[in-house]
Every structure is written in structure tokens, then in C-alpha cells.
Amino acid sequence: MNTKKAVLLTGTGKRYDIVSAFAQHTTVVACDPNPLAPAQYAATVRTSVPMIRDPQYVPALQELCERHDVGAIVPLTDLDIDVLAQARADGRLPQALVPDPEIARRTFDKHECHLLLAEHGLPSPPTVLPSFEPDGYPVMVKPIHGSGARNIFAAADAREAAFFVDYIDEPVMLQRLMDGPEFSIDCLSDRDGRCLNAIPRTMLESRGGESIKGTVIADQELIDLGRRVVEAFGVRGPATVQAFRDKDVGLGITDVNTRFGGAFPAPVYAARPGRSYPELIAAMAAGRPVEPHVGEFDAGRTFTRYFWQLELDEQLRPTGRDIVSPPGPPAPR
């Protein structure tokens, strides 16, 4: 098998951590409509592409795949998963590590995702549309197509819920407010939908819906839950399953994102040698076999994320100059 197949990352934005991690193991083609997207500067090849809804978006990706011998496409945002899923289904982008179009559509719609979980016998908090009365309060009023914790409000009673339904200027749903700790499970599946690993972590702190501090934990119930979700949905590639453990009802899944989560560093730190998710995806891109190893990781790893920056010259090329010397965190005492 060709061991030099590239990986194409779409919607790279500011995910420098993801792009640079892949670049350690394979040729990385990073594309984003914005030429100032910082993460592309960690890639082997950086390029701009049309906007996702532009009819030329998929043809542009096809051209990049042919030019750079791409073996896998991984989206880094929710925005083009449905487009890639359809292009994969109709044979235009067979390299895309995304679910089938129906799963892509239903997981992007949080109410449909709730129904999908129920269809597969998977736990999800009681959830209704505003035209129905919830089975109790308090509830979370949240957008059906929300992201980044936008417009999510707790409502203690029907009056507060009605206010927020009217206040939020997009379709919403009402979901039981889970009383307990929140967890995420970072999963990876192969092209046949087999779960390769499921690595749970705590949500110590998040901002804008994105985890910035957390600890990897060896929780067998969460490991099993992550595997069950991605295999039931036929996920290909990465997925993040978010869940609460309510003191009364137990586990309830509140979100399934068929992409890497904000806490991408957690499963990388926890992975055994040679089994980080970028390494496994690079192997899949090259056509090498990858065997499931669910539950095999090093628990107890904690991550904390921070911001950094690049200086670009007049032609938007990295200068290599930093604002500190030497760069990086201080040495441990």
C-alpha cells in the first residue's frame, strides 16, 4: 500500500493543534475560505477554497485530492459535514471520513439527534419542541442547530421557558436540565463504522461551548456508551459524544458531533504509542489496516489550552519570528 497518502483537512480555522498534530505523521493539505485562518500555516500545503455552499466547493476538493494524492478527508467544523457526506455517498469524494447523509443531517439537528438516539435505545434527556409541554422543569432552552453554546438558557418554569422561546431568534427545543457532571467521549471509527477507540474526559472548564480544561478518565460506562453510539450511527472518522450523569436518571447524551471536539489534545495525550487519532487516520488514508483497541489508553492525563499567534509578512507568509524567546511554557521546577 502507498504509505504517502495525504490527509485533507477542511475548515481548519484556528485549530492549529489539530493540523500540526497531523503534520507530524503525514502530508497535510489544509483548506479554508479565509487566507488568514491560522491553522493552515501548520500544514504541508495551505490553500483557499470556495465557500461551502458554492457549487464549486466539492470540485475544488476533488482537484486537491487528485493533485496531492489524498487518502482521507477530515472536516474540522460542522459546516460542511453534510456536503461531504453527500459527496461521499455519490462517489465524488470517497475519501471523506464522514457518516452517511441521513446521519449527518440528523446529528446536526439536535432534536432529530435526540429522536435518533431513542430509536437506537441510547439514553437522551427528555426533549420536546416548544409546541409540546415538557414532563417537568427546569429545562434548557437551546437552538436546534446551535453551536458554541450560543443562545442556551436554563428555564425554571413554563413562564421562563416561554420567554426564552420567544427571545431566541431561531428554532429551539426544550431539554431536561441534567443535574450532574458533564463528560465528553472522544471516539474514532474506521471506514466500516467500527469503533477503534473511545476516550472519555471530564469537562473541567469550557468557554463558548469549547472545552479548555479536562482530564481523561477510565470510566467503563462512558467507554461503552461512546462505542455504542458511533457504531449504531455508522460513524466514520472522529466523533465527540457529550453526556451528563444525572443523579436521578443516570447518563443522558446531549450532543453527538461527528468531528473532533474542542478538547482534541485529550485523546492525543492519552493514546498509547502509535495510536493517536492523527496516526490512525494517516494509516487509514494510506490503506493500512487499523484494529479496534477500545478502552486502551492512559487515563489521568489533564490538558489546559491557551492562545498563541503567528506573524505574517506582506505576502501573508510566516516570518518565523515569535514574541518571546525561547518560545513555549516555562520549564518545570
Side-chain angles (χ1 to χ4, degrees):
M1 288 289 183
N2 185 350
T3 60
K4 296 183 179 179
K5 290 278 188 180
V7 173
L8 172 63
L9 303 176
T10 68
T12 53
K14 62 182 181 180
R15 296 313 306 267
Y16 201 97
D17 55 344
I18 299 178
V19 179
S20 58
F22 272 91
Q24 293 183 91
H25 305 292
T26 190
T27 299
V28 176
V29 181
C31 62
D32 194 287
N34 189 338
L36 285 176
Q40 64 182 320
Y41 290 98
T44 316
V45 177
R46 62 179 185 270
T47 183
S48 294
V49 291
M51 299 295 286
I52 292 166
R53 299 304 166 188
D54 190 309
Q56 292 306 306
Y57 181 69
V58 169
L61 298 185
Q62 289 178 296
E63 195 275 331
L64 288 171
C65 288
E66 183 175 351
R67 188 196 317 169
H68 298 290
D69 196 18
V70 169
I73 303 171
V74 180
L76 301 193
T77 73
D78 296 316
L79 301 177
D80 64 344
I81 293 175
D82 61 333
V83 174
L84 295 176
Q86 188 58 56
R88 181 193 175 281
D90 62 26
R92 290 179 294 162
L93 291 175
Q95 307 94 328
L97 291 178
V98 291
D100 289 342
E102 182 70 359
I103 297 297
R105 180 188 69 80
R106 296 188 73 183
T107 51
F108 185 64
D109 181 311
K110 295 183 188 302
H111 184 254
E112 282 292 319
C113 186
H114 164 73
L115 298 177
L116 184 63
L117 289 165
E119 289 167 17
H120 288 280
L122 294 161
S124 178
T127 304
V128 297
L129 295 174
S131 55
F132 295 89
E133 184 68 19
D135 63 359
Y137 290 92
V139 298
M140 297 297 291
V141 183
K142 54 199 295 188
I144 288 174
H145 297 115
S147 63
R150 181 189 73 248
N151 282 339
I152 297 179
F153 301 97
D157 52 36
R159 182 184 60 83
E160 290 186 4
F163 171 82
F164 287 123
V165 168
D166 184 62
Y167 172 76
I168 300 172
D169 61 351
E170 57 184 312
V172 299
M173 66 185 194
L174 281 61
Q175 187 169 73
R176 176 186 174 130
L177 177 62
M178 298 289 278
D179 182 12
E182 182 179 8
F183 306 93
S184 284
I185 312 159
D186 298 302
C187 305
L188 183 69
S189 302
D190 65 13
R191 295 186 189 275
D192 296 321
R194 294 185 306 168
C195 182
L196 300 176
N197 209 349
I199 302 179
R201 54 182 163 83
T202 63
M203 295 279 282
L204 296 179
E205 184 178 345
S206 62
R207 292 182 185 173
E210 189 169 294
S211 181
I212 59 172
K213 296 181 180 70
T215 299
V216 174
I217 56 174
D219 186 312
Q220 192 60 49
E221 187 180 26
L222 292 173
I223 294 169
D224 292 341
L225 183 66
R227 178 190 56 78
R228 288 171 57 204
V229 170
V230 296
E231 292 192 343
F233 287 10
V235 170
R236 302 177 188 89
T240 304
V241 179
Q242 294 176 227
F244 286 81
R245 185 176 271 134
D246 187 275
K247 62 182 179 60
D248 295 322
V249 301
L251 284 174
I253 298 167
T254 55
D255 216 350
V256 178
N257 295 308
T258 56
R259 55 166 173 76
F260 286 120
F264 168 82
V268 175
Y269 287 135
R272 300 281 170 82
R275 287 180 169 179
S276 73
Y277 289 176
E279 290 173 280
L280 299 180
I281 290 174
M284 286 191 280
R288 299 195 298 273
V290 178
E291 293 302 318
H293 47 279
V294 179
E296 297 180 15
F297 57 86
D298 295 326
R301 299 295 192 267
T302 294
F303 69 92
T304 180
R305 301 171 63 205
Y306 65 100
F307 291 104
W308 206 246
Q309 60 283 314
L310 297 171
E311 181 187 48
L312 310 177
D313 66 16
E314 292 81 359
Q315 283 74 47
L316 299 184
R317 297 173 302 195
T319 65
R321 188 171 68 155
D322 216 327
I323 62 172
V324 296
S325 183
R333 296 180 179 178

